[in-house]
Amino acid sequence: KELRLLSFWGGSVEFWGSLPLSPGLVRGGQVADASAMGEFLLSSLRSRSLLPARLCSSFPGLGVLTRTLALPLLRGVDLGQVVAREARRHLGVTPEGHRLFWQALPGKGLQRVLVVAVPQEALHTLLGAFSAAGLTLERLELKTLALARSRPKGDALLAHVESNSLELAVTV
């Protein structure tokens, strides 16, 4: 279990490194102690002169559910409410347990919607760590989406492999 830091300037990597996490900061792949993690984040960034900076973070896909929904074309209806209802039906998620993110996809005929359901507690604890440190995130995204955005245009199979996890992104 470690914190990975990557710093860019002008499109080039300035710093790349990993720092071991103290026991108790992370449990089951998620932040366990937001306050202590916030202190660790702040001291790690300061000691490497990485502040002030525009901060981005990735969120592991552990426990995250995704689905592309095909909905009839609806007029005069709040698509967000329809997506929430269909996510509950197809993914079994509730507003109390998961935070829903969605985006309508282009197409003809049916309305296709990409839905991502993130475990609420894990997300809030991670955001709490940044908040406890007084740090503002510019972007927070799933690790697989960050992988997909990092590659040049074109088809790709991207993998992030660790001893206890695997994140895959297939882009076409």
Side-chain angles (χ1 to χ4, degrees):
K1 298 175 184 177
E2 57 192 13
L3 171 67
R4 294 198 184 109
L5 298 172
L6 175 62
S7 175
F8 284 95
W9 181 258
S12 298
V13 173
E14 270 194 332
F15 176 83
W16 168 258
S18 299
L19 304 169
L21 294 173
S22 301
L25 285 182
V26 175
R27 190 176 312 117
Q30 308 295 341
V31 173
D33 184 340
S35 178
M37 179 62 88
E39 289 176 24
F40 182 73
L41 284 169
L42 190 58
S43 67
S44 299
L45 293 170
R46 278 189 178 146
S47 68
R48 282 148 189 85
S49 300
L50 297 176
L51 287 177
R54 293 173 35 204
L55 297 174
C56 301
S57 180
S58 66
F59 189 83
L62 188 66
V64 173
L65 303 170
T66 60
R67 171 77 55 98
T68 302
L69 301 175
L71 306 171
L73 292 174
L74 304 168
R75 301 213 191 300
V77 176
D78 181 0
L79 186 57
Q81 289 180 350
V82 174
V83 168
R85 184 186 73 230
E86 292 301 302
R88 179 177 288 160
R89 193 166 75 97
H90 290 284
L91 298 172
V93 298
T94 64
E96 300 78 32
H98 288 78
R99 175 83 189 267
L100 282 183
F101 299 90
W102 60 274
Q103 180 174 337
L105 302 171
K108 294 184 179 175
L110 293 174
Q111 173 66 67
R112 293 178 36 235
V113 179
L114 172 65
V115 179
V116 179
V118 179
Q120 189 107 284
E121 184 178 343
L123 178 62
H124 284 215
T125 308
L126 176 63
L127 292 174
F130 284 96
S131 179
L135 300 170
T136 302
L137 280 176
E138 181 175 304
R139 175 179 290 149
L140 174 65
E141 60 190 352
L142 287 175
K143 192 182 298 184
T144 51
L145 294 177
L147 279 171
R149 288 176 7 88
S150 71
R151 57 94 177 122
K153 298 284 183 202
D155 299 349
L157 171 63
L158 304 153
H160 179 249
V161 182
E162 297 190 31
S163 62
N164 62 352
S165 69
L166 167 68
E167 304 266 353
L168 281 175
V170 179
T171 62
V172 178

